Each structure stands twice: as structure tokens, then as C-alpha cells.
Amino acid sequence: MPTCAEATPRLPLPERRKDADNSHTNTSMAETRCYWYERNEHLVSGWEPTFHAEVRWHLLRSVGYSENATRLQEKTFADDAKAGRPATGPGFADEAFWETMSADDPRTCALSVRTANLIVYVGLSGDRHPAAGCEKEATEIAEAAVQAVPEDT
């Protein structure tokens, strides 16, 4: 599983706020979350309080003799996809869907893709990611995120 430091240079996004990165791993799964905020020199932290992009990698590992991580991810993904709409076109993934945005949701678009036992989520919001190009941009980011995963993961 890539760390944010390893993966994000390959993603078509600006500088990220490194102290907001989050990752954890154990024998059955690994997850990495990276966040992008706007710079704001007028704030003590130097960053806006709300992120405009999130990329998340969630990998299930097969453990024991009876569990199949890919099958488990297929089921989880199918259950989550019921609330969204299918994303057609991403040839780099086994399946994909767009989350349905509510009127009060700050996100412009959110895409989840599954490749075998890996799910990658890309959520974009704010003026930096206008609705007109959001889905194309999220697809490009998701493809780069999938490609950033080491083959031995």
C-alpha cells in the first residue's frame, strides 16, 4: 500500500497538507488517506480549514483459508454502489460508481473504483474543482491513484 508521500507526487493535484495524512494497516487490511487544502497565509496554520480533495486507498488482504479479499471487496463495493450511479468508461478498474451528492454536500463529485481487492475513492469539492470538469478530473486522479499502488501490495 502506498503512503501519501509515495503516491501523491503521481497524482494530478497541487501541494497537499501533509499533517492531515492518515494511514493504518494490519494483517487483514491497509488504508491510506491523503487530503488537499488551499493555502491561506492569513491563518496560523497556513491552510484553509476545509479540504478540497481527498484520495483514499482501501486494500483488503486474504487471511486464513476461507476468506477471499477480492470477493469481500466485490460485495462491499456492490452494496455501496447501490446508493450511487454507475461510472462508465474507467477501463483501469473492474467497476466504478459516482456517489449521489445531496444539496448540502460540499463535494462537487465523488468517485469510487474497485480493482480486485483494492478500492480507491476520490472526493473533490470547492471552487478548485467545478462541477463542469469534476468527473473527468476525478477519473484521472483515480487512475493515477490505482497506478501508484506497488505491484507487490
Side-chain angles (χ1 to χ4, degrees), residues 18-152:
K18 297 174 183 142
D19 66 333
D21 295 346
N22 180 322
S23 65
H24 60 278
T25 186
N26 60 42
T27 56
S28 62
M29 61 81 65
E31 184 170 83
T32 298
R33 293 176 183 229
C34 310
Y35 300 92
W36 286 259
Y37 295 74
E38 294 292 341
R39 282 274 189 195
N40 186 332
E41 63 209 39
H42 302 294
L43 297 175
V44 173
S45 71
W47 298 95
E48 285 293 327
T50 306
F51 61 85
H52 66 80
E54 174 188 5
V55 178
R56 180 174 58 226
W57 294 260
H58 184 81
L59 178 78
L60 285 185
R61 296 182 175 118
S62 296
V63 292
Y65 294 102
S66 62
E67 292 189 43
N68 181 303
T70 298
R71 198 168 330 136
L72 290 170
Q73 283 292 56
E74 286 173 351
K75 179 171 181 356
T76 299
F77 194 87
D79 290 345
D80 292 345
K82 290 176 186 173
R85 64 180 167 83
T88 57
F92 61 90
D94 297 329
E95 54 188 332
F97 73 92
W98 295 102
E99 287 189 23
T100 303
M101 301 292 123
S102 65
D104 61 341
D105 195 326
R107 294 174 300 169
T108 313
C109 66
L111 174 65
S112 290
V113 301
R114 185 190 63 78
T115 301
N117 60 329
L118 172 71
I119 293 177
V120 171
Y121 165 87
V122 176
L124 304 175
S125 60
D127 294 339
R128 183 179 279 273
H129 309 286
C134 192
E135 290 189 2
K136 181 180 184 299
E137 183 181 12
T139 301
E140 290 170 356
I141 294 167
E143 182 172 15
V146 167
Q147 291 173 356
V149 176
E151 295 211 14
D152 61 346

